[in-house]
């Protein structure tokens, strides 16, 4: 159920009960288009979230606290000036539409009591948060709308606030059976849900489909096959009883994550799993937190994914060139032998020859070999030319071999970071990975003064084996290093063999075979071999794992290892207990 006028109408009553009379203690702006207002009401601190995001515009109480910029944005500072210390005097919805107005009484600069109104327009890409004075003049807005953006109305400081253009619809709170029946009859034909959405203010197509299912037994029912008067009566009765029907719940996916939210039971989705929620705000908070976190991480990880992908492609190209250089240096011995054969047979070579046939003393059969000569050089100069080619090829071979080893190590590191990026489920983990890439020179450091405050360190994954033994798994190189360094010397350490993956610690000096196999499965699952079968996983005690001096983050060497071959089973892993 989207954030339509019906959902907002249900929420308005909840917010009014919770917030009217409350004192505004603090205003923050964690995102470019989002506000958090801390209100002390009914003896509790309540955090009101207001978002003008194009995809997730909404208003509700939240239990989540986001990190704020070090320097508050201008709009945030202005709201602090006008709202902090004031009291919420009213929370109302305008005309059954997606507009919520919050009145705050506060003292002005002269000590007189004034009322400021924070208007929340929740209209998709046209969403906005606007502060007006008691006369309706715009003080400021989170998004300025000029005549170049909209020819319908401007939203700029100093202008009088104008509501969005009125639509010829019936407010669902003041719905009259006769008026709705006349409109439905005038519509004639077509899907019922489209007719309801066209004539009732604040009714989204999704909610209209549910009403169609309730009244006609089919979401796609057509108006011409129904009694318009009966539909009008059922619709009016439904909205009259709406406040008594509110029952917030989350519609769930198979994995238990929220798929959708409903303010009242959706009979059309009765077969899907759902979870009842204590309030509309709690329902919206969980739904949007999951959605926001996924989209936020997706946006922030996209740039890192691009950096890693570009550098991996660069290393692969460089490795190809270095392999070609090594193949070219394979003629090194040929140059040396030809130089020595010319030196041993100077009498058989003459200046001006392009080639000469010489006996190859290095061949067991002493077979003759053709040696190319530079006709402009003397025999001894041709011999020196071949010795120079030999030295050049020898140097190239040594250099290319060293560079190849360095490139292979860099490629393994980057592929490991790409694997770590896929494990990031929290912003702190993403920031740690970015900071590491900054230190390694792959990403430019962010010196923006408005950067977020330092996030708390991320935590590794924590599983409990069937035998009740703790298993810890790193999500990035910082966690991998910390896990390995702080583990007891007798704990067991596991890692997928010869591929990027997580360091896995079994917190036991004597784990049973079941625990070791479960830990090996986790190590394989959180590695590049996740989708493979019979993944080799090395295991040894922590005391045999060492980090070489100057090694890149996450890199270790180990001895006394044994190898288990396991096939990652996602269903078994989901059933394992997590802490």
């Amino acid at each position: 159920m989207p954030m339509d006028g019906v959902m907002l109408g249900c929420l308005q009553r909840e917010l009014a009960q919770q917030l009217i009379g409350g004192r505004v203690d603090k205003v923050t702006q964690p995102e470019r288009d989002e506000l958090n207002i801390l209100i002390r009401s009914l003896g509790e601190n309540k955090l009101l979230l207001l978002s003008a995001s194009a995809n997730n515009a909404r208003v509700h109480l939240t239990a989540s606290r986001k990190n704020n910029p070090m320097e508050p944005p201008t709009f945030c500072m202005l709201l602090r000036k006008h709202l902090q210390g004031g009291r919420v005097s009213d929370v109302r919805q305008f005309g059954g539409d997606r507009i919520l107005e919050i009145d705050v009484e506060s003292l002005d600069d002269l000590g007189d009591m004034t009322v400021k109104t924070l208007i929340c327009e929740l209209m998709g890409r046209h969403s906005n948060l606007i502060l007006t004075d008691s006369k309706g003049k715009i003080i400021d807005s989170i998004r300025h709308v000029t005549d170049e953006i909209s020819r319908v109305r401007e939203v700029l400081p100093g202008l009088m606030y104008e509501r969005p253009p009125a639509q010829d619809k019936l407010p669902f709170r003041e719905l009259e059976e006769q008026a709705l029946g006349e409109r439905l009859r005038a519509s004639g034909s077509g899907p019922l849900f489209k007719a309801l959405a066209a004539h009732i203010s604040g009714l989204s197509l999704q909610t209209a489909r549910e009403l169609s299912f309730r009244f006609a037994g089919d979401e796609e029912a057509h108006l011409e096959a129904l009694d318009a008067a009966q539909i009008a009566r059922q619709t009016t009765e439904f909205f009259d009883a709406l406040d008594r029907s509110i029952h917030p719940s989350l519609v769930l996916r198979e994995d238990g994550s929220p798929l959708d939210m409903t303010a009242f039971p959706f009979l059309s989705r009765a077969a899907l799993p759902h979870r009842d929620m204590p309030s509309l705000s709690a329902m919206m908070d969980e739904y949007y937190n999951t959605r926001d976190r996924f989209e936020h991480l997706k946006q922030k990880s996209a740039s890192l994914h691009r950096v890693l992908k570009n550098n991996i492609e660069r290393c692969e190209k460089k490795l190809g060139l270095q392999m070609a250089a090594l193949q070219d240096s394979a003629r090194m011995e040929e140059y040396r032998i030809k130089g020595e054969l010319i030196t041993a047979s100077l009498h058989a070579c003459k200046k001006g020859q392009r080639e000469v046939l010489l006996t190859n003393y290095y061949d067991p059969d002493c077979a003759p070999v053709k040696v190319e000569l530079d006709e402009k050089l003397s025999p001894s100069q041709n011999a020196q030319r071949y010795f120079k080619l030999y030295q050049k090829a020898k140097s190239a071979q040594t250099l290319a071999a060293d560079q190849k080893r360095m490139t292979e190590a860099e490629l393994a590191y980057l592929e490991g970071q790409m694997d770590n990026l896929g494990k990031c489920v929290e912003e702190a983990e993403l920031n740690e990975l970015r900071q590491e890439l900054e230190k390694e020179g792959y990403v430019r450091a962010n010196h923006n003064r408005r950067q977020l405050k330092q996030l708390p360190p991320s935590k590794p994954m924590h599983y409990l084996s069937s035998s009740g033994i703790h298993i810890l798994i790193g999500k990035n190189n910082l966690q991998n290093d910390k896990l390995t360094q702080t583990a007891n010397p007798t704990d067991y350490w596991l890692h997928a063999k010869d591929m990027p993956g997580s360091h896995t610690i079994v917190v036991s000096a004597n784990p049973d075979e079941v625990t070791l196999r479960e830990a090996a499965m986790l190590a394989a699952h959180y590695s590049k071999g996740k989708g493979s079968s019979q993944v080799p996983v090395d295991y040894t005690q922590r005391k045999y794992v060492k980090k070489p001096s100057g090694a890149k983050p996450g890199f270790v060497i180990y001895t006394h290892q044994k190898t288990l071959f396991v096939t990652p089973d996602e269903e078994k892993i989901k059933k394992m207990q997590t802490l």
Side-chain angles (χ1 to χ4, degrees):
M1 182 176 180
M3 187 67 180
D4 60 5
V6 176
M7 173 75 85
L8 186 61
C10 297
L11 188 65
Q12 175 267 330
R13 295 174 67 88
E14 181 179 295
L15 293 179
Q17 292 172 359
Q18 295 287 323
L19 300 181
I20 290 180
R23 185 185 69 247
V24 177
D25 280 349
K26 190 174 183 181
V27 180
T28 56
Q29 189 175 343
E31 304 285 350
R32 181 177 55 85
D33 49 13
E34 181 180 311
L35 293 173
N36 285 176
I37 302 179
L38 185 65
I39 300 172
R40 183 70 180 177
S41 177
L42 303 176
E44 297 178 354
N45 288 330
K46 301 181 186 297
L47 190 62
L48 180 66
L49 182 151
L50 307 96
S51 173
S53 165
N55 297 322
N56 299 324
R58 64 196 190 276
V59 178
H60 59 85
L61 297 175
T62 180
S64 302
R65 293 179 181 271
K66 292 185 177 181
N67 285 274
N68 297 300
M70 289 181 165
E71 182 180 316
T74 304
F75 188 61
C76 176
M77 295 292 288
L78 182 136
L79 289 180
R80 289 178 180 178
K81 174 186 175 183
H82 289 279
L83 301 185
Q84 275 188 190
R87 291 196 175 272
V88 178
S89 58
D90 196 14
V91 179
R92 60 185 175 273
Q93 181 186 24
F94 172 73
D97 212 339
R98 292 170 294 171
I99 300 176
L100 189 75
E101 300 177 350
I102 302 172
D103 287 345
V104 178
E105 294 180 344
S106 60
L107 297 176
D108 63 13
D109 296 337
L110 299 176
D112 297 327
M113 185 65 70
T114 61
V115 177
K116 308 288 171 42
T117 302
L118 186 57
I119 303 170
C120 314
E121 298 181 349
L122 312 178
M123 300 178 174
R125 62 190 181 92
H126 301 296
S127 299
N128 210 343
L129 302 175
I130 305 165
L131 182 68
T132 65
D133 62 16
S134 57
K135 297 179 180 179
K137 182 182 290 186
I138 297 173
I139 299 174
D140 205 352
S141 62
I142 204 165
R143 184 178 288 123
H144 290 179
V145 181
T146 64
D147 58 354
E148 295 179 354
I149 298 174
S150 173
R151 287 179 293 180
V152 178
R153 64 170 186 150
E154 294 179 79
V155 180
L156 294 170
L159 298 181
M160 295 300 294
Y161 173 72
E162 296 180 14
R163 300 190 188 279
Q167 296 177 308
D168 185 24
K169 292 186 178 184
L170 304 172
F172 72 90
R173 288 288 185 193
E174 304 165 11
L175 204 57
E176 295 181 359
E177 181 180 333
Q178 183 178 350
L180 179 59
E182 290 175 356
R183 294 200 178 202
L184 292 177
R185 280 191 291 273
S187 298
S189 61
L192 172 60
F193 75 89
K194 287 188 177 180
L196 291 173
H199 296 304
I200 300 176
S201 177
L203 189 64
S204 65
L205 290 175
Q206 186 176 329
T207 308
R209 282 180 176 276
E210 167 62 18
L211 297 184
S212 178
F213 182 84
R214 282 172 175 255
F215 305 152
D218 184 3
E219 291 184 20
E220 300 290 338
H222 275 239
L223 195 57
E224 59 267 26
L226 302 169
D227 183 347
Q230 182 180 350
I231 295 297
R233 185 178 68 256
Q234 289 174 307
T235 306
T236 305
E237 290 174 351
F238 172 82
F239 283 113
D240 286 343
L242 179 61
D243 292 334
R244 299 188 298 275
S245 305
I246 294 175
H247 189 87
S249 66
L250 291 170
V251 181
L252 307 176
R253 295 186 177 89
E254 290 184 3
D255 62 359
S257 61
L259 171 66
D260 200 357
M261 57 180 180
T262 59
F264 54 87
F266 268 43
L267 302 184
S268 57
R269 294 192 170 189
L272 295 176
H274 67 278
R275 184 167 80 247
D276 294 339
M277 300 299 290
S279 66
L280 289 168
S281 284
M283 174 191 73
M284 296 178 69
D285 198 28
E286 181 161 348
Y287 175 78
Y288 281 110
N289 274 346
T290 304
R291 185 167 159 181
D292 279 356
R293 186 167 61 248
F294 175 78
E295 291 186 0
H296 191 61
L297 282 174
K298 185 177 178 181
Q299 290 171 1
K300 295 196 80 172
S301 64
S303 60
L304 295 182
H305 186 277
R306 187 165 53 252
V307 167
L308 290 171
K309 183 174 179 288
N310 291 341
N311 279 281
I312 286 173
E313 289 175 352
R314 172 184 58 80
C315 285
E316 289 173 341
K317 185 177 180 180
K318 188 195 295 186
L319 195 59
L321 294 173
Q322 290 162 355
M323 294 289 288
L326 283 173
Q327 290 173 357
D328 290 342
S329 68
R331 297 187 64 190
M332 176 178 67
E333 284 302 307
E334 177 189 342
Y335 297 144
R336 182 184 64 82
I337 290 172
K338 287 183 176 181
E340 292 184 356
L341 291 179
I342 294 173
T343 302
S345 307
L346 289 174
H347 62 281
C349 306
K350 295 181 180 178
K351 188 175 182 179
Q353 288 180 301
R354 292 188 176 182
E355 60 183 39
V356 64
L357 202 63
L358 300 176
T359 301
N360 186 359
Y361 301 109
Y362 293 93
D363 190 305
D365 300 327
C366 293
V369 61
K370 185 190 292 184
V371 179
E372 298 80 10
L373 300 174
D374 187 336
E375 57 189 7
K376 297 178 183 178
L377 303 178
S378 66
S380 60
Q381 288 174 328
N382 268 298
Q384 290 303 313
R385 182 174 70 88
Y386 273 111
F387 287 136
K388 286 179 181 178
L389 288 173
Y390 163 72
Q391 288 297 336
K392 184 177 179 181
K394 185 177 180 181
S395 299
Q397 184 186 52
T398 304
L399 182 62
D402 290 342
Q403 289 179 336
K404 178 174 172 287
R405 282 192 292 272
M406 291 171 62
T407 304
E408 287 174 338
E410 183 181 10
L411 186 59
Y413 171 76
L414 292 169
E415 287 178 340
Q417 289 293 63
M418 184 69 87
D419 183 61
N420 290 336
L421 184 62
K423 298 170 194 167
C424 291
V425 294
E426 295 177 4
E427 189 173 357
E429 295 161 2
L430 205 60
N431 284 350
E432 288 171 355
L433 194 147
R434 181 184 179 87
Q435 288 169 11
E436 182 181 329
L437 292 176
E438 286 179 3
K439 289 179 183 177
E440 296 296 327
Y442 294 104
V443 178
R444 243 184 296 179
N446 182 12
H447 298 297
N448 185 3
R449 288 185 65 200
R450 292 189 178 184
Q451 61 188 333
L452 295 180
K453 295 176 183 177
Q454 187 65 37
L455 292 169
S458 62
K459 295 181 181 179
M461 291 172 277
H462 194 165
Y463 285 84
L464 207 61
S465 75
S466 302
S467 306
I469 296 175
H470 296 271
I471 302 173
L472 303 174
I473 304 162
K475 294 179 183 176
N476 54 43
N477 288 337
L478 182 67
Q479 289 185 9
N480 287 335
D481 282 344
K482 189 174 181 180
L483 271 180
T484 302
Q485 290 165 6
T486 57
N488 293 324
T490 54
D491 288 345
Y492 272 78
W493 179 93
L494 300 91
H495 195 284
K497 186 176 183 179
D498 299 330
M499 66 180 73
S502 296
H503 293 203
T504 303
I505 298 292
V506 176
V507 188
S508 173
N510 188 28
D512 57 274
E513 186 177 348
V514 172
T515 296
L516 270 179
R517 293 202 71 84
E518 288 177 346
M521 185 185 293
L522 289 168
H525 178 75
Y526 293 107
S527 76
K528 197 176 180 181
K530 176 180 180 179
S532 308
S533 59
Q534 294 299 300
V535 179
V537 177
D538 287 341
Y539 68 97
T540 186
Q541 285 188 300
R542 157 66 187 87
K543 60 187 175 184
Y544 300 120
V545 181
K546 308 294 180 187
K547 185 173 184 67
S549 177
K552 283 185 178 290
F555 181 80
V556 293
I557 55 176
Y558 53 91
T559 57
H560 296 76
Q561 72 271 21
K562 295 180 182 178
T563 305
L564 284 172
F565 290 86
V566 293
T567 300
D569 188 329
E570 196 162 349
E571 289 304 316
K572 286 184 180 178
I573 290 172
K574 283 181 180 178
K575 292 177 182 177
M576 290 183 68
Q577 185 178 348
T578 56
L579 298 175

